Amino acid sequence: MNKKYVDYFTIGGEDIYCNDSELNANFDTFKNETNTNFKNVLLFEEKTNKNFNEVNEKLLDYVNINEFLNNNTFYEAFSLALESLKPHGTLFIPYTGETYSLNDTITIDKPCKILSSYENYDIEESTNSVSVGEYSRPLITSTAKTVFSIKSIGVHFENICVKSTNNLDGSVIIDFSLTNTQSTTNVIRNIIFENCYFIGNGTKNGIRCTNTDIIVSRFSHVWIYNCDVGFNIGSESKNSTSLLFSNCWALNCNTSGYRLTNCNYSTFISCACDNSTYQNHGY
């Protein structure tokens, strides 16, 4: 089996090594599968005389960021993975026990799901088995003034934990805006955030959507710590509606846990806001 030019295809989660003849013979299978390895793109085009971009939409509805981390920063790997992901696909960030470092703003400009295996951040808990350092180890730590800039409808975050160390004016962990996107509706919608933890360090905003309307979206089990404003939604010139906040917690947010302006027909279920002045919190 000749591996001089090709390492492997990832088909159905299985690494399949193949030689040149197998590559040509299996083109139809390769074309229709939803996951492949980008190491093969140049060989694919060379041996089949077909443009990879013509079949790209059928290939990558699921991307594991690990495919792009070798010799790349987390920002570079995320950007490459997102570029390779078709709209409505899933970008997976595995939790390895180590924190990914980020220094630049990540812009999400297509409908997609950002998924990790991370579970349960906590700033106080420790047991005989798990230290407070392990409980409070985030998935991602960022120095960027804006950590994630979301410029698309239909974005889903699940099992994500981000810690920002930036406290400059205007700093924000999650920022929604359709400004300069040539959006035909200019209304953020179909946003889902669930089981997410956003930790600031005097960061000015946890989640912010103040210059674009946001409608029919859901925040479930979203916790925001140590930001001046936890959830900052709406403004005097923007109207938002049909939002659901379920089991959310804003903790140690200096100014307010929830700042909602012109936000209508929206529901809070079992949400909390504690200690807006950095006091020890109680339950």
Side-chain angles (χ1 to χ4, degrees):
M1 190 172 292
N2 181 7
K3 299 181 188 175
K4 182 177 179 181
Y5 298 106
V6 60
D7 290 325
Y8 58 86
F9 297 111
T10 302
I11 295 180
E14 178 184 0
D15 295 341
I16 299 178
Y17 291 87
C18 58
N19 58 29
D20 294 354
S21 62
E22 288 174 326
L23 175 64
N24 284 282
N26 289 298
F27 167 74
D28 287 335
T29 300
F30 173 82
K31 178 180 66 174
N32 292 307
E33 287 295 337
T34 58
N35 190 15
T36 187
N37 189 298
F38 259 53
K39 294 177 183 178
N40 299 293
V41 171
L42 293 179
L43 179 69
F44 171 82
E45 294 184 340
E46 175 188 345
K47 298 299 181 183
T48 64
N49 294 317
K50 294 180 182 292
N51 189 312
F52 183 84
N53 288 329
E54 293 177 359
V55 298
N56 188 31
E57 285 292 302
K58 295 184 179 179
L59 292 175
L60 299 172
D61 66 351
Y62 178 91
V63 176
N64 189 324
I65 198 173
N66 274 352
E67 295 288 340
F68 302 90
L69 277 173
N70 289 340
N71 301 317
N72 286 319
T73 65
F74 179 75
Y75 170 79
E76 292 167 338
F78 195 106
S79 299
L80 289 169
L82 188 63
E83 183 180 351
S84 306
L85 186 71
K86 68 181 183 181
H88 313 292
T90 296
L91 192 161
F92 181 68
I93 308 171
Y95 179 61
T96 64
E98 300 297 327
T99 298
Y100 300 101
S101 295
L102 181 63
N103 300 312
D104 299 286
T105 299
I106 290 176
T107 299
I108 298 177
D109 57 1
K110 67 182 72 174
C112 63
K113 183 176 185 177
I114 309 300
L115 173 68
S116 180
S117 53
Y118 186 95
E119 293 286 347
N120 197 68
Y121 176 91
D122 198 280
I123 57 175
E124 292 186 336
E125 178 67 8
S126 65
T127 65
N128 292 336
S129 302
V130 183
S131 70
V132 66
E134 291 170 313
Y135 269 117
S136 61
R137 182 178 294 122
L139 177 70
I140 300 166
T141 296
S142 174
T143 63
K145 184 176 179 180
T146 299
V147 183
F148 284 97
S149 175
I150 297 179
K151 292 184 173 294
S152 173
I153 67 173
V155 174
H156 183 172
F157 271 47
E158 183 173 350
N159 301 339
I160 303 297
C161 179
V162 180
K163 182 175 183 178
S164 170
T165 60
N166 194 304
N167 60 6
L168 296 175
D169 286 345
S171 54
V172 58
I173 300 175
I174 304 291
D175 187 54
F176 295 95
S177 175
L178 293 175
T179 301
N180 299 324
T181 64
Q182 297 184 352
S183 167
T184 56
T185 63
N186 202 35
V187 178
I188 291 283
R189 57 193 182 277
N190 301 333
I191 301 298
I192 299 175
F193 274 55
E194 53 189 334
N195 198 36
C196 290
Y197 308 84
F198 302 123
I199 305 99
N201 182 34
T203 307
K204 303 310 177 186
N205 297 269
I207 292 176
R208 180 178 66 193
C209 185
T210 55
N211 67 1
T212 302
D213 296 343
I214 180 171
I215 63 172
V216 288
S217 297
R218 172 166 60 90
F219 300 89
S220 178
H221 195 80
V222 176
W223 293 11
I224 299 180
Y225 299 80
N226 298 342
C227 296
D228 277 8
V229 180
F231 297 83
N232 192 357
I233 307 293
S235 68
E236 294 299 328
S237 61
K238 300 298 176 183
N239 293 288
S240 299
T241 186
S242 306
L243 306 180
L244 174 62
F245 299 84
S246 174
N247 195 221
C248 294
W249 192 17
L251 174 64
N252 290 353
C253 291
N254 230 4
T255 303
S256 58
Y258 305 86
R259 178 185 290 168
L260 282 76
T261 307
N262 286 337
C263 183
N264 304 297
Y265 307 113
S266 297
T267 302
F268 286 78
I269 301 174
S270 299
C271 295
C273 174
D274 286 312
N275 309 312
S276 60
T277 56
Y278 290 93
Q279 300 166 350
N280 292 328
H281 67 269
Y283 295 94

